[in-house]
Amino acid sequence: MKKQAVKWIVGTGKYVVGFGILATVIYKYWEPNTEKGSPGLRELLQGPIAWEWLLACLLLLVVAYSLTIVRWYLLVRSLNIPFTLRHAFQLGLLGMFGNTFLPGAVRGDFFRAYFLARDSPGQRTAAVSTVLMDRGFGLFGLVLFAAVLGSIAWASGDARILANAYLQWIVKVTAAIAGGGILGFLLLGFLPQRRVDRFAERLRSLPKVGVVFSNLWYAVWEFRQHMRVMGYGVALTAAAHFVIIFTFYVAAQVFPPDHPETDLATLSELMVIAPVGFIVQTLPLAPGGVGVGEAAFAGLYRLVDRPESQGVIARLSMRIAEWVLALAAWIVYLRMQKELRAAKEEAKGEGGGNPVSYDP
């Protein structure tokens, strides 16, 4: 009973934190900045709404999510786990709803892993590893995207990047992380099985997060043996991230400012800063990163000398489209309520109610 109360308090607290941050951000940028001549959120919200851009935003999100679901489907099939594309989309919609609206450990990735493992007798570890790897693809892909596209824009003489030391620093850091990650992944293929197992045991001994890191380590090592699938995964991830960042660019047009040429971030700027914003909002502070994403993009817009309110309103516009799409997945969630309760009960029995081994 006490554990359930703690979980309820923590879950509710994350909603309070997220919407509290969102309210603070909106309050901070509600009025125009007279010193910089930047519009406030009130002014932008009172202006015309470009519904066609909001619709385009929604359609682009459908494309982006579809690409990521196909990526996960290929990861699952590469391990010879029986799986259909239809089932992948069904679980993908459920995961989308969970990651958007549910707090803490009760997230979509856990349910994706649970149902796939349940339907794959004898291949539970492999099934879970696909979800872990899919999450890793998404996060690492953002870093790689910023590094590659930022480097190309910098090398081609993009004026905004050449004149901004912060953007150059982001490109350098993401390039270093991406380069190190790729090199480590390639070298992983030369490790013998006994060393892989030994390192996994060391990770497993870590308190609380040991099982997660151990499973993730095995997932990365397992998929290192499937380089063709990794190539498809990289291509699909790159396409999905381009669509996502272009979606943000489109979302910025929903509440158009009076001076778009100076107030709106260019697409080349967004290729560098948007991945950082999306990575920051994955911090487990609030459901779907609500509030956290708006605060992150306000700061990133400040780095590129654009009005912070434009970063906030663009993220809010995109969030509206995300909520609409996630609510469409509500049908899947309702139809699977009985099975979801069974998943929670199994998680309690195995790990004290904390499905940490499924949700990195």
Side-chain angles (χ1 to χ4, degrees), residues 66-317:
S66 297
L67 289 171
T68 60
I69 291 173
V70 171
R71 179 186 66 200
W72 181 45
Y73 167 76
L74 292 177
L75 290 175
V76 175
R77 291 298 297 130
S78 71
L79 299 185
N80 296 317
I81 298 176
F83 200 44
T84 65
L85 190 58
R86 182 176 181 273
H87 197 198
F89 271 89
Q90 182 186 40
L91 295 183
L93 287 173
L94 177 62
M96 183 197 311
F97 173 80
N99 287 333
T100 303
F101 292 118
L102 301 183
V106 192
R107 295 192 57 176
D109 287 341
F110 161 67
F111 291 123
R112 280 199 300 159
Y114 169 80
F115 286 113
L116 181 60
R118 185 202 63 179
D119 297 336
S120 309
Q123 296 177 290
R124 178 171 182 171
T125 301
V128 173
S129 74
T130 64
V131 178
L132 293 170
M133 193 64 187
D134 188 62
R135 171 67 70 88
F137 252 125
L139 291 176
F140 185 75
L142 287 170
V143 175
L144 184 62
F145 195 89
V148 173
L149 272 295
S151 297
I152 291 174
W154 191 357
S156 62
D158 185 276
R160 299 291 300 186
I161 295 180
L162 290 175
N164 194 310
Y166 292 110
L167 290 181
Q168 295 172 15
W169 181 82
I170 291 174
V171 172
K172 291 176 182 178
V173 170
T174 54
I177 296 174
I182 292 173
L183 180 62
F185 182 76
L186 293 176
L187 293 176
L188 188 61
F190 298 99
L191 281 181
Q193 181 71 53
R194 57 185 177 81
R195 291 196 176 184
V196 172
D197 295 337
R198 186 184 305 169
F199 188 64
E201 286 302 316
R202 291 179 181 176
L203 291 175
R204 192 176 293 272
S205 65
L206 296 174
K208 295 186 178 180
V209 297
V211 176
V212 176
F213 287 156
S214 178
N215 286 345
L216 182 58
W217 166 255
Y218 270 127
V220 174
W221 184 80
E222 174 67 27
F223 283 105
R224 171 62 178 83
Q225 319 307 316
H226 301 273
M227 291 302 292
R228 174 186 283 184
V229 175
M230 291 297 96
Y232 292 149
V234 169
L236 287 169
T237 301
H241 286 330
F242 179 83
V243 175
I244 283 288
I245 293 169
F246 188 69
T247 302
F248 187 89
Y249 177 79
V250 169
Q253 325 289 326
V254 174
F255 294 93
D258 292 333
H259 307 287
E261 65 283 353
T262 57
D263 289 350
L264 296 181
T266 64
L267 191 56
S268 62
E269 289 173 330
L270 290 177
M271 294 297 174
V272 178
I273 65 172
V276 178
F278 291 130
I279 290 173
V280 171
Q281 74 173 31
T282 62
L283 295 174
L285 298 176
V290 64
V292 180
E294 285 75 9
F297 276 98
L300 290 167
Y301 265 58
R302 187 184 308 120
L303 291 183
V304 296
D305 197 28
R306 305 291 189 181
E308 293 95 324
S309 58
Q310 288 295 155
V312 176
I313 198 69
R315 188 63 191 93
L316 279 172
S317 299

